[in-house]
């Protein structure tokens, strides 16, 4: 490495005060930093403020296991009628009730396809009949099954939806029971009949105790993305410095290496090769820290290691491609692609079904959404392809292809046009 430059004689120049009075000096930093602050505020806060009012077809299972005979003069038992009441009480554009058997509901909970389930028990009709006849020992009970692997907020939203629907159905049924009882019931019985259904909550698909209440998948994915993003930019700057296309300045130490004549295409190949190599180190250290030291629950370790490497590498290659194409503002562009737009559209903290439509559209192609689904499938859903892992692998392959094609296409275009990189020169 070059030694520190010898002290230079102080050159007469403009004072700080005179420079600060130059309006043109303020324009570019003010416009760019203001736009970044405004856009980040709108993007991040716009995705979390109204999850209830932004609900759009949140998938929740509805299980009618009632086997009781229908009441006299009716064709359906009370479980079937209650199921219809639950579906009709929830706006279709907000909740997607999936009528399933108990086995099917358990399967979809285990594959992360529903956020929760509402289960009507097999003795529901008989329990209501006993309650109306005054011979019941306890209230009929519906069960809400949660899915913590889908994130604490997503599971809580499904729990809230199911309990609200059960409450409305209970009051509707209670009105009929009170009317049928007429004056034959005392005040205490009428009070019980007005709200006859109890609701209990159970975990439908449990996850490990060291899973951050379903948030470990999000934070682990964030680590992979940040590692790929930061390492990509560090490699980009380090290679430019090492090849003499940028100065190295750390505190008072300044160095400038001899410029190595090399094409943009070859430079990008070097940066991508180093990214592929150093991603092994960064992902290994992430796993050592999160699993080895902190003890995060992480089944399928070999698969998680392979997926982590490929996921972080896809981000790193994307960063190199963007820097090669956009030059000086490449790091800012990459930050919006992989961080600013990706975080609120990841669906890992706030479900995509509970954010405005803009974020749902972003979630179709933004990388963090795809990577979070894959990590979640490995950590919580037994590495099932239908839990999001299959789509994640496909999108990683798409990311590889897009980064290589875009990056080398732009680099070769600049080389053919003779847009050679400028070399820093002293005054």
């Amino acid at each position: 490495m070059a030694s520190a430059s010898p002290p230079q004689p102080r050159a007469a120049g403009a004072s700080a005060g005179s420079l600060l009075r130059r309006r043109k000096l303020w324009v570019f930093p003010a416009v760019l930093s203001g736009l970044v602050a405004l856009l980040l505020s709108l993007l991040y806060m716009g995705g979390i403020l109204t999850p209830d009012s932004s609900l759009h077809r949140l998938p929740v299972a509805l299980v009618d296991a009632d086997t009781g005979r229908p009441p006299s003069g009716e064709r359906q038992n009370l479980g079937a009628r209650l199921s219809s009441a639950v579906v009709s009480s929830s706006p279709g554009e907000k909740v997607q009730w999936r009528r399933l058997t108990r086995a099917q509901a358990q399967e979809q909970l285990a594959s992360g396809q529903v956020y929760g389930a509402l289960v009507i028990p097999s003795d529901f009709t008989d329990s209501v009949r006993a309650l109306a006849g005054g011979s019941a020992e306890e209230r009929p009970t519906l069960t809400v099954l949660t899915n913590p692997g889908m994130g604490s907020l997503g599971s809580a939203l499904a729990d809230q939806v199911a309990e609200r629907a059960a409450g409305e159905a209970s009051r509707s049924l209670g009105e009929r029971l009170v009317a049928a009882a007429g004056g034959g019931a005392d005040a205490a019985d009428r009070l019980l009949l007005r709200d006859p259904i109890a609701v209990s909550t159970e975990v439908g698909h449990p996850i490990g105790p060291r899973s951050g209440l379903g948030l470990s998948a999000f934070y682990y994915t964030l680590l992979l993305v940040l590692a790929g993003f930061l390492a990509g930019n560090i490699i980009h700057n380090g290679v430019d410095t090492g090849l003499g296309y940028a100065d190295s300045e750390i505190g008072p130490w300044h160095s400038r290496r001899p410029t190595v004549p090399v094409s943009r295409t070859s430079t990008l190949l070097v940066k991508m090769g180093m990214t592929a190599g150093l991603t092994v180190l960064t992902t290994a250290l992430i796993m050592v820290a999160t699993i080895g030291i902190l003890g995060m629950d992480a089944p399928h370790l070999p698969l998680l290691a392979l997926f982590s490497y490929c996921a972080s590498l896809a981000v790193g290659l994307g960063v190199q491609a963007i820097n090669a194409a956009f030059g000086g503002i490449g790091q800012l562009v990459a930050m919006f692609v992989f961080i600013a737009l990706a975080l609120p559209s990841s669906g890992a903290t706030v479900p995509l079904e509970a954010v405005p439509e803009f974020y749902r559209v972003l979630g179709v192609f933004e990388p963090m959404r795809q990577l979070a689904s894959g990590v979640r499938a490995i950590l919580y859903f037994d590495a099932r392809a239908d839990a999001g892992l299959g789509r994640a692998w496909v999108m990683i392959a798409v990311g590889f292809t897009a980064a290589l094609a875009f990056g080398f296409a732009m680099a070769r275009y600049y080389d053919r046009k003779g847009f050679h990189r400028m070399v820093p020169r002293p005054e």
Side-chain angles (χ1 to χ4, degrees):
M1 178 173 177
S3 59
S5 302
Q8 300 294 323
R10 184 184 298 273
S15 67
S18 64
L19 291 176
L20 288 173
R21 288 192 290 272
R22 293 186 181 181
R23 294 183 180 180
K24 291 184 178 179
L25 195 64
W26 288 79
V27 173
F28 180 75
V31 171
L32 195 58
S33 58
L35 282 175
V36 169
L38 176 63
L39 289 175
L40 288 179
S41 301
L42 292 174
L43 286 170
Y44 287 150
M45 300 306 292
I48 65 168
L49 294 180
T50 58
D52 286 318
S53 60
S54 298
L55 272 183
H56 178 75
R57 297 184 62 77
L58 185 77
V60 182
L62 177 60
V63 178
D64 176 16
D66 188 7
T67 58
R69 59 181 176 81
S72 178
E74 298 186 12
R75 301 179 59 184
Q76 293 181 316
N77 63 20
L78 295 182
R81 297 185 60 178
L82 183 67
S83 297
S84 299
V86 165
V87 173
S88 62
S89 68
S90 303
E93 68 275 7
K94 289 186 174 292
V95 183
Q96 182 190 53
W97 288 105
R98 297 182 180 179
R99 298 197 187 212
L100 306 171
T101 65
R102 181 61 185 262
Q104 290 171 334
Q106 202 63 51
E107 173 73 8
Q108 294 203 9
L109 286 168
S111 60
Q113 297 182 47
V114 293
Y115 286 87
L118 178 62
V119 180
I120 302 171
S122 59
D123 62 347
F124 180 71
T125 296
D126 295 335
S127 298
V128 173
R129 185 180 290 115
L131 182 69
S135 60
E137 296 181 359
E138 57 185 17
R139 297 164 67 194
T141 301
L142 305 184
T143 303
V144 175
L145 301 177
T146 62
N147 197 357
M150 296 299 289
S152 53
L153 180 58
S155 183
L157 283 171
D159 184 8
Q160 184 183 89
V161 164
E163 290 198 13
R164 185 186 300 128
E168 293 178 0
S170 177
R171 287 186 289 274
S172 176
L173 177 61
E175 292 175 359
R176 296 181 63 243
L177 293 178
V178 169
D186 58 27
D189 288 339
R190 285 198 301 272
L191 183 61
L192 179 60
L193 291 176
R194 282 196 182 95
D195 189 14
I197 300 174
V199 178
S200 67
T201 301
E202 299 176 5
V203 176
H205 179 73
I207 58 177
R210 301 183 69 85
S211 298
L213 299 177
L215 289 175
S216 60
F218 166 70
Y219 283 103
Y220 186 86
T221 304
L222 181 60
L223 287 172
L224 297 179
V225 172
L226 287 177
F229 174 80
L230 294 174
N233 283 313
I234 291 170
I235 291 168
H236 169 75
N237 294 327
V239 170
D240 283 352
T241 299
L243 296 180
Y245 289 94
D247 287 358
S248 173
E249 188 172 358
I250 303 175
W253 293 280
H254 172 265
S255 64
R256 178 177 296 154
R257 293 180 181 272
T259 302
V260 178
V262 62
S263 67
R264 289 176 180 265
T265 302
S266 295
T267 303
L268 179 59
L269 185 60
V270 169
K271 291 176 179 178
M272 286 191 168
M274 291 182 64
T275 300
L278 292 181
T279 300
V280 175
L281 173 65
T282 56
T283 53
L285 291 176
I286 288 173
M287 295 188 71
V288 167
T290 57
I291 302 169
I293 298 176
L294 299 177
M296 181 184 78
D297 289 320
H300 308 286
L301 275 178
L303 177 60
L304 181 63
L306 177 61
F307 184 87
S308 299
Y309 172 76
C310 293
S312 194
L313 177 58
V315 174
L317 295 180
V319 168
Q320 302 298 3
I322 290 173
N323 285 336
F326 292 95
I329 65 168
Q331 296 182 26
L332 182 60
V333 174
M335 187 269 289
F336 268 91
V337 171
F338 293 107
I339 308 295
L341 293 174
L343 278 172
S345 62
S346 67
T349 52
V350 181
L352 284 183
E353 293 86 355
V355 296
E357 185 177 2
F358 171 71
Y359 299 92
R360 293 196 291 272
V361 173
L362 285 178
V364 173
F365 57 86
E366 270 294 332
M368 192 174 290
R369 165 62 172 169
Q370 328 307 327
L371 303 185
S373 295
V375 171
R376 177 183 280 170
I378 295 173
L379 294 184
Y380 306 148
F381 300 118
D382 199 29
R384 295 177 51 150
D386 59 351
L389 184 57
R391 175 182 170 83
W393 278 122
V394 170
M395 296 305 289
I396 285 176
V398 171
F400 279 160
T401 305
L404 295 173
F406 177 65
F408 283 110
M410 295 302 297
R412 289 175 62 85
Y413 171 77
Y414 292 151
D415 285 337
R416 288 197 304 270
K417 290 293 184 179
F419 297 147
H420 303 299
R421 303 188 66 186
M422 297 181 67
V423 179
R425 295 195 179 107
E427 290 292 334

